Amino acid sequence: MAITIGAIADDFTGATDLANTLAREGMSVVQVIGVPDAATETHGAEAVVVALKSRTAPKEEAVAEAVAAADWLLAQGAGQILFKYCSTFDSTEDGNIGPVSDALLEHLGEGFAVICPAFPDNGRTVSNGELFVGDVPLAESSMKDHPLTPMRDSNLHRLMERQSRHRAGLISLDDVRSGTEAIEARVDALRAEGQRYGVVDAVTNADLRAIGAAIGSHRFITGGSGIALGLTAYHRATGALGEAVSLELPSVTGRALVLSGSCSEATRAQVARACSVWPSRKVDISHAAEGDGEAEALVAWALGQPADAPVLIYGSSDPAEVARTQAALGRVRAGEVMERTLATVARALLAEGLTRIVVAGGETSGAVVTALGVKALRIGPQIAPGVPWTETLGTAPAALALKSGNFGGETFFEDALAMLP
Ligand code: ADP
């Protein structure tokens, strides 16, 4: 079966967020990890999201990976290519949103694409081409201090024109709220003016559905997860999609393992809570940095615990302890040692039948998925906003819940495992 929406996401948790949104709109969704090769399968999914790690990669690499991913999606029959970036337009002065969008426009032979980062459910809205996070302009939000992609301008036209070779006009909220024909007419006018992009205003989910109805036939679209709402509505209305599918939980049976490498506040509260109910053990990072005995010790400990309860293995520490560890080992090395240790533990324990795995931390999730050799995931029901249960496809069967640090309430780990039959 041909893919209706083929998406290329510029980071791992961003891909999961889009995949989760599409699945909640009733599409069957597979997330593919990294640039697919000829052997990668779509497993009959209506939407396939390719998760790249290209947000801050060198420009040439980001472009090459996106083009390769687009070629693979087209070869699988994708009727539409969506380039998905963060709803806060995370990028540097040079890219990579502009260069990747330019390259995909050209590669697909398209003359025009919308720029639609709005995601009202997460408080990201666009009006007059300005991006807001909650009540404040992007450049006044906490994104202004992001370590890798500080956002110091809220104007999407300027942001895009600095990175791209092309100009970006506006499809205003007035156009959007005047209906399909008005939006189409505005797109035609922008094209006639020689604009290659149209920043589109959207403040509510109804705006996104109106946009979807008007531009749902475009072969190339750029946006955040929110545009998924409009696109699924469009494809359902045209009959390209059948009835909404009901999402299935992973069917994997086996023991449960929780791994946490996130030090964010939400995760530390989740870890503290889990420590009070399950056997838990903290990674000794200085031991892990000295050699490879720590991972083996953690695996032996986990296998010695009662089989009927989940086990928690964590590195999560408060800021003072993280600072001490970073001073001793270096920031990059500390992160690598922790990620490698947790990933090694995941691989060893999966082989021992701990097949239901919850991972906390974006980078940590990437390291675990790589160590497990996971190539593709089927998206299941949502555990907490932005975090679905997933099931591995084509490799050793496992149920995976991968959450970025700040997601989920205090009982997230218990909530996740309680969902499984
Ligand atoms: P989040 O989603 O909260 O940002 P990540 O997994 O992306 O979580 O990032 C957390 C980083 O902190 C990882 O690189 C992890 O290895 C590292 N880390 C975890 N525990 C410690 C620790 N005790 N000391 C230093 N670094 C740590």
Side-chain angles (χ1 to χ4, degrees), residues 16-27:
T16 308
D17 188 26
L18 172 66
N20 184 55
T21 307
L22 290 165
R24 283 167 58 77
E25 291 297 304
M27 293 185 85

Side-chain angles (χ1 to χ4, degrees), residues 8-11 35 50-70 83 91-92 94-104 163:
I8 301 163
D10 65 356
D11 93 331
V35 177
V50 177
L52 301 179
K53 202 174 183 301
S54 60
R55 186 167 293 169
T56 54
K59 189 162 45 176
E60 296 69 27
E61 192 180 307
V63 164
E65 289 192 353
V67 167
F83 173 43
S91 49
T92 66
D94 301 329
N96 287 323
I97 295 178
V100 169
S101 300
D102 287 357
L104 289 173
Q163 301 177 23

Side-chain angles (χ1 to χ4, degrees), residues 261-264 267 285 315-317 321-322 325-326 334-336 338-339 360-365 403-406:
S262 163
C263 300
S264 72
T267 301
I285 191 166
S316 314
S317 304
E321 191 179 338
V322 171
T325 306
Q326 290 179 337
E336 282 170 2
M338 186 60 74
E339 287 171 31
E363 294 297 325
T364 309
S365 294
K403 79 162 199 95
S404 67
N406 272 318

